[in-house]
Amino acid sequence: LLLQLGANVNARNSVGLTAIRRLFTPSELAKGGVSDRIRLLLSWGASFFPEKEGSREGCISSARKYGEHELANLLESELGGRRCEIVNLKSRPELNGKACVADEYLPASNQYKVTLEA
């Protein structure tokens, strides 16, 4: 709800952590079930920052360490988890211009598996 009302997805808390970075802390990853929350933040444009633990690479490493391999794979792809627009889809032209979230990169076809937004 806060994101829909314009909250800054990259705001930092009192110790300097963004919401997405907070989900990659050992205590959160050890609990499990963070993937949906991370995907939500990514779809709203959450960014990774260059500091070691907050970088994309640092978060991928943390995800793998705690067995979140699917999440790590998602983060390794350029558009993983991001909201996008479908363009130049010749097989289903009625989908061009629709909003979606990139779920998985398919390297064999250089395409993404996406979920359409309602």
Side-chain angles (χ1 to χ4, degrees), residues 62-114:
S62 294
R64 290 211 188 283
K65 180 177 178 181
Y66 287 89
E68 296 281 349
H69 300 290
E70 184 178 315
L71 180 58
N73 291 342
L74 177 73
L75 295 176
E76 286 177 333
S77 67
E78 182 182 353
L79 297 177
R82 302 293 181 180
R83 183 174 282 127
C84 304
E85 179 181 342
I86 298 174
V87 295
N88 298 325
L89 186 60
K90 294 179 178 131
S91 62
R92 300 274 311 270
E94 71 275 11
L95 296 177
N96 288 324
K98 302 278 184 184
C100 63
V101 175
D103 292 322
E104 179 184 358
Y105 179 63
L106 307 170
S109 62
N110 194 29
Q111 295 178 337
Y112 283 86
K113 177 181 171 187
V114 300

Side-chain angles (χ1 to χ4, degrees), residues 17-89:
L17 297 179
T18 63
I20 198 163
R21 174 62 186 93
R22 174 73 175 91
L23 291 173
F24 282 97
T25 59
S27 61
E28 289 295 321
L29 287 169
K31 287 182 205 174
V34 298
S35 183
D36 288 342
R37 291 179 283 163
I38 291 169
R39 287 173 181 270
L40 175 70
L41 292 170
L42 287 170
S43 75
W44 280 89
S47 297
F48 295 96
F49 295 95
E51 63 264 8
K52 184 179 176 185
E53 294 84 15
S55 70
R56 178 182 298 271
E57 294 76 17
C59 291
I60 291 168
S61 176
S62 294
R64 290 211 188 283
K65 180 177 178 181
Y66 287 89
E68 296 281 349
H69 300 290
E70 184 178 315
L71 180 58
N73 291 342
L74 177 73
L75 295 176
E76 286 177 333
S77 67
E78 182 182 353
L79 297 177
R82 302 293 181 180
R83 183 174 282 127
C84 304
E85 179 181 342
I86 298 174
V87 295
N88 298 325
L89 186 60

